[in-house]
Amino acid sequence: MDLDPASSTASLSADEAHHLTHVLRLRFGDEIAVFDGAGREYRARIERVSRDGAHVHLIEEISAAPEPVVRLTLAQAVLKGDKMEDVVRDATMMGVAAIEPIVTVHTAVRMKALTEGQGSDRWRRIAVASAKQCRRAVLPVIGNGTPFHEWVVQDTAETRLLLVEPTVAVEGRPVATLQGQRPGSATLMVGPEGGWAGEEIQVAVRAGWVPITLGRRTLRADAVAIVAIGVLQFVWADL
C-alpha cells in the first residue's frame, strides 16, 4: 500500500483491489482498515476501484495492535513444498520481526534455485495476507536467502538460539531456563526436515549460538518453529 497521510489518501495494488471487490465484496463508499506495514493503521473509505488498483480516503488513524517487546528473527532452513509458506504465514501471525530463509546441508533447495526463483516474493505476499488476517500492522522483513555458514557468523542479535533435536550429541538447554531473561533482540535458528548436520551445530556453538530444545519429542519441521516462538514469548512474558 502506498500511503500519503498528508493528503489523506492511499492507493492499493491491483491484487488488493481484486481482494476488496471479489473476495470481500466491497464497493465505493464502504469503510475498511488499511495499514502501511510499518505499524500505522487507518480507518479508510473506498473512493475508487479499477483493474489497476484502488484509492481510499484516510478517515482517521487507529491504534494498531502492539508488537512484541523482543525483536525476534526467525532464521528458518528452507522447507520443502508449501511447508515454508506455512511457516511464513504463522510466524507473521506470531509477531516475528524478520524471517531469514537459510540454506543448510540438509535442505532440498539450493542457494542458486532460491535466488533465481520467486520464493521470497511469494513469501512476502503470504506475510501480507497473514498480517491482514490477524490485524497486524507491521510486516516482517523477509530475506532473499542466506547460506548457513554466512548467516551463523553475521547475525548480531543480543540472544542467538539454535533449536536442536533431543537426539543430537550436543545437549540442548531447556527453553524454560530462559525465563526472566528477556533480551532486546533475539534470533531463533531452526533446521530443515533432515535436521542439522553435526558440523553445523559445532560451527554455531563456536560462533556463540546457544542450543535449546523443546523437550523429548521430535516435532514436524513446519510446526516446530511456531511452537518454539510461542514458548519463547511465554517465558519472556512477551505475549
Side-chain angles (χ1 to χ4, degrees):
M1 179 186 71
D2 294 324
L3 189 150
D4 183 7
S7 62
S8 298
T9 61
S11 57
L12 309 180
S13 67
D15 288 342
E16 294 295 335
H18 181 272
H19 183 77
L20 284 177
T21 56
H22 291 80
V23 179
L24 300 180
R25 302 295 181 181
L26 298 176
R27 295 292 184 268
F28 170 81
D30 288 336
E31 289 192 5
I32 59 174
V34 296
F35 65 97
D36 63 359
R40 304 184 71 177
E41 186 172 359
Y42 296 84
R43 187 165 65 92
R45 182 173 58 251
I46 299 173
E47 297 289 342
R48 181 167 60 86
V49 180
S50 67
R51 288 185 177 181
D52 298 327
H55 291 272
V56 300
H57 172 72
L58 304 179
I59 300 172
E60 62 177 347
E61 186 169 359
I62 56 181
S63 297
E67 288 291 296
V69 175
V70 179
R71 180 177 175 81
L72 180 61
T73 294
L74 172 63
Q76 171 68 59
V78 180
L79 303 177
K80 298 176 184 177
D82 58 4
K83 292 180 180 179
M84 190 69 182
E85 298 175 5
D86 293 340
V87 171
V88 170
R89 180 197 64 217
D90 293 343
T92 299
M93 175 185 66
M94 294 295 290
V96 300
I99 302 170
E100 184 62 37
I102 56 175
V103 174
T104 72
V105 170
H106 292 157
T107 51
V109 177
R110 298 294 89 192
M111 195 64 216
K112 182 178 180 181
L114 190 60
T115 55
E116 292 179 352
Q118 298 179 337
S120 57
D121 290 336
R122 174 160 178 75
W123 296 332
R124 291 183 183 103
R125 291 195 295 271
I126 289 171
V128 170
S130 180
K132 290 193 298 184
Q133 191 275 329
C134 68
R135 290 296 300 273
R136 183 183 178 193
V138 175
L139 292 175
V141 176
I142 299 180
N144 294 320
T146 306
F148 167 85
H149 68 272
E150 292 182 10
W151 178 260
V152 76
V153 294
Q154 75 183 34
D155 184 79
T156 59
E158 180 182 338
T159 296
R160 292 173 296 157
L161 305 172
L162 178 72
L163 191 63
V164 297
E165 298 177 3
T167 55
V168 300
V170 174
E171 185 176 355
R173 176 180 177 182
V175 69
T177 63
L178 301 173
Q179 194 158 7
Q181 304 174 28
R182 186 165 71 185
S185 63
T187 295
L188 173 68
M189 191 157 55
V190 182
E193 290 89 345
W196 297 111
E199 61 269 26
E200 289 175 329
I201 296 176
Q202 294 173 14
V203 167
V205 171
R206 286 198 299 267
W209 292 76
V210 178
I212 62 168
T213 178
L214 294 176
R216 297 185 299 273
R217 295 180 181 85
T218 299
L219 305 181
R220 288 197 332 265
D222 57 332
V224 64
I226 308 308
V227 173
I229 291 168
V231 173
L232 286 171
Q233 290 176 337
F234 176 78
V235 300
W236 287 333
D238 196 18
L239 298 174

